[in-house]
Amino acid sequence: MCALNSSHNSDAALHGPYRIERWGGGFLRLAEGGGLAVQWPAVAGGETTLHLADLLPLLRQQGVETPVLLRFPSILHARLAAFRQAFRRALHRFDYPSEHAPLYPIKVNPSATVIRTLLDAPEPLAGLEVGSGGELRWALGFLRAGQRLVINGVKDRAMLEGVRQALAMGVRVCWVIERPRDVTLLRHGFTALPAALDLGLRLRLPIPASAGKRPHAHFGMPLPTALKSVEVLKENGWLRALRLLHGHVGSQVARLDDLRQGLESLMVGYASLTEAGAPLGQLDLGGGVAVDTTGSDGPFSCTYDLDDYADMVVGTVQRQCRQAALQPPLLITESGRALTAHHGLLLTSVLDLEPESASMPGSKSELEPKRGAEQNDSLHHDETASTRILADLSLFASVPDAWALGQPFPIVPVAGFASDGAASVPVRIQDATCDADGLFRAYVTAEGVADRLLLPGPLPRLSDTTEGVQPPVLAICLL
């Protein structure tokens, strides 16, 4: 499982109603008496624990009502530190002669708070990765001299001005050539290539079944095209700037062997390009580290931890370099969700409850998984009648991947539900903005991914006329 070590991993907890000890990463756990608790490393040692039920009245005192998105910067620090420490251990274990530089792909979460927290962490990022002109302009507001900026994606002339600004700031910029026209853009933008600008090449790698449906990535070049680009750079006198090779095997890669196969393909390209005269010294592995959001087997799970991943990367590159008599390169990673997922959750209130009938949209009679949820072949169907919960949120605005990709996000009761009842009442959750398509269709339960969530019963009675009684609250986790 992809998690930091936790002291709560009893067999009973692992198979509890929400599998929280499998996907909580050591940061989220069931609170005593029910509800959800968040915990993170304290500055002075030990841990700080917050029961979300205790937080709700404090928020209301400040005029903050649900829905509210909570972010925990200390969890970002902890995840980044765990990532860096895993690679530090692997580098030492394999006596690897170079270093590891983690970058953050800002497309994952472009929040200024998230970016600043990661760049200013006790063990900070080495820099940022961008994939568009808008992301490039946004990144310039955060980077400082000496930090790295890797520019991927489809490029245009307007991005060249961003490159000039970054270089003037002392940022270490790498312009990654994904298509032959990226070289043409450089020739139009610079009569002489700036000495401080690094160039990179991106190889197109096969995408494993656990990371996507397409047989190949959309971006990057096949190896023969990349070798032709080396010749073009040589003709322009720019080959000395070609310092980086990049490849990305896919997102949310649940199996370590798939990541290993992609890395081995990338290393074949690294050896071929070096033999062709490219003075490479940096290997950018992209992202792909999975986040376990279900605590079970499937496309949204994870079968390895950070130490497994770091050992695989360092060991594979070390072995391939020895076989080809190459100097081991600087290892660059671009993990995003693996850093940020555990630090964010959404608190939302229950607005209404109503029994479901077979004719209701999204009911059992027509609830076959859609928009990517078809990959959850093991989706458990409960034949029991259920209750529909109308929640105060917009599925499309707050949890778009649940709608667009069929991704299950763990949902846990926080307050207003029976504290001593077993999780036995099946429900489906509908957002308050769309009665046609705003339904959560996959839930994390003790049995794995199911089409209904089990909540402790009996469910509360709602009354608009009762003064002083707050509505029940749910937490949607790993946002």
Side-chain angles (χ1 to χ4, degrees):
M1 88 186 144
C2 279
L4 300 180
N5 292 330
S6 171
S7 59
H8 304 281
N9 287 334
S10 66
D11 289 342
L14 286 174
H15 300 288
Y18 312 107
R19 290 179 173 253
I20 192 168
E21 299 298 336
R22 289 287 299 271
W23 52 258
F27 302 111
L28 303 170
R29 63 176 177 84
L30 289 178
E32 295 181 7
L36 183 65
V38 183
Q39 59 189 27
W40 60 89
V43 175
E47 288 184 334
T48 299
T49 301
L50 173 67
H51 289 216
L52 293 182
D54 297 335
L55 177 65
L56 288 171
L58 299 178
L59 291 174
R60 294 185 184 114
Q61 289 174 13
Q62 299 180 45
V64 178
E65 299 290 342
T66 56
V68 58
L69 179 65
L70 300 180
R71 298 200 182 278
F72 297 87
S74 293
I75 293 179
L76 282 178
H77 287 171
R79 283 298 291 173
L80 179 55
F83 208 89
R84 299 210 70 153
Q85 291 163 11
F87 268 89
R88 197 152 48 235
R89 287 189 291 268
L91 295 173
H92 177 75
R93 188 176 298 118
F94 288 92
D95 194 24
Y96 193 85
S98 190
E99 299 178 346
H100 167 239
L103 307 182
Y104 176 64
I106 66 174
K107 65 177 68 65
V108 170
N109 187 330
S111 162
T113 300
V114 171
I115 296 172
R116 287 196 183 101
T117 298
L118 290 170
L119 287 173
D120 296 338
E123 296 192 62
L125 289 169
L128 301 175
E129 181 271 345
V130 299
S132 69
E135 290 182 3
L136 173 57
R137 290 187 290 273
W138 184 238
L140 293 177
F142 303 98
L143 291 169
R144 298 184 294 272
Q147 293 177 326
R148 294 180 178 273
L149 174 63
V150 169
I151 304 173
N152 290 315
V154 178
K155 302 172 179 66
D156 57 32
R157 293 192 184 189
M159 295 177 73
L160 295 174
E161 181 56 34
V163 171
R164 292 188 182 93
Q165 293 180 34
L167 291 173
M169 295 163 52
V171 174
R172 303 171 66 178
V173 182
C174 182
W175 175 280
V176 178
I177 299 166
E178 309 222 8
R179 302 179 296 174
R181 70 182 296 270
D182 292 344
V183 180
T184 305
L185 275 175
L186 283 175
R187 293 169 61 186
H188 285 304
F190 299 103
T191 53
L193 198 68
L197 177 62
D198 283 346
L199 301 180
L201 287 175
R202 180 167 181 173
L203 285 188
R204 185 178 301 173
L205 300 177
I207 289 184
S210 66
K213 298 178 180 179
R214 296 169 300 174
H216 290 85
H218 178 68
F219 294 119
M221 297 179 285
L223 182 55
T225 306
L227 289 169
K228 291 180 182 177
S229 294
V230 169
E231 294 303 314
V232 172
L233 292 175
K234 188 181 300 183
E235 293 169 2
N236 284 271
W238 291 354
L239 188 59
R240 52 92 187 157
L242 184 56
R243 303 295 303 163
L244 178 144
L245 180 64
H246 175 43
H248 178 68
V249 73
S251 301
Q252 183 66 27
V253 183
R255 298 182 306 213
L256 193 63
D257 280 345
D258 290 333
L259 288 168
R260 180 183 291 108
Q261 291 171 16
L263 180 53
E264 288 173 345
S265 296
L266 187 61
M267 284 304 299
V268 169
Y270 191 92
S272 298
L273 292 167
T274 301
E275 186 178 359
L280 301 173
Q282 304 169 27
L283 187 70
D284 187 340
L285 316 174
V289 177
V291 176
D292 192 340
T293 62
T294 65
S296 59
D297 295 334
F300 299 108
S301 65
C302 185
T303 60
Y304 53 90
D305 60 24
L306 295 181
D307 280 313
D308 295 333
Y309 174 70
D311 283 351
M312 182 279 293
V313 168
V314 177
T316 300
V317 175
Q318 178 85 295
R319 182 179 64 256
Q320 299 279 81
C321 284
R322 285 176 176 172
Q323 291 174 356
L326 297 172
Q327 180 68 22
L330 172 75
L331 301 174
I332 297 174
T333 55
E334 299 176 3
S335 291
R337 280 277 294 160
L339 294 180
T340 64
H342 295 91
H343 96 290
L345 58 87
L346 180 74
L347 299 180
T348 180
S349 297
V350 175
L351 299 178
D352 199 6
L353 302 169
E354 59 180 348
E356 283 198 316
S357 66
S359 61
M360 293 179 68
S363 62
K364 178 67 181 71
S365 62
E366 61 87 40
L367 190 67
E368 292 305 318
K370 299 178 181 179
R371 290 188 182 86
E374 66 269 9
Q375 54 200 322
N376 293 324
D377 295 331
S378 60
L379 193 69
H380 174 70
H381 296 284
D382 191 339
E383 299 296 335
T384 309
S386 64
T387 298
R388 180 164 302 209
I389 286 180
L390 185 65
D392 188 10
L393 81 155
S394 167
L395 181 67
F396 315 105
S398 298
V399 202
D401 285 356
W403 171 77
L405 303 177
Q407 178 171 337
F409 286 85
I411 302 175
V412 181
V414 170
F417 294 89
S419 60
D420 55 354
S424 58
V425 181
V427 303
R428 300 190 222 273
I429 298 174
Q430 171 83 46
D431 82 2
T433 67
C434 182
D435 62 355
D437 216 13
L439 182 73
F440 286 86
R441 296 179 179 274
Y443 303 91
V444 178
T445 71
E447 289 77 25
V449 180
D451 64 356
R452 295 170 184 176
L453 179 67
L454 294 179
L455 291 177
L459 293 179
R461 293 184 177 181
L462 302 181
S463 173
D464 294 335
T465 60
T466 304
E467 290 188 14
V469 176
Q470 300 296 335
V473 175
L474 297 166
I476 303 172
C477 305
L478 304 185
L479 296 181

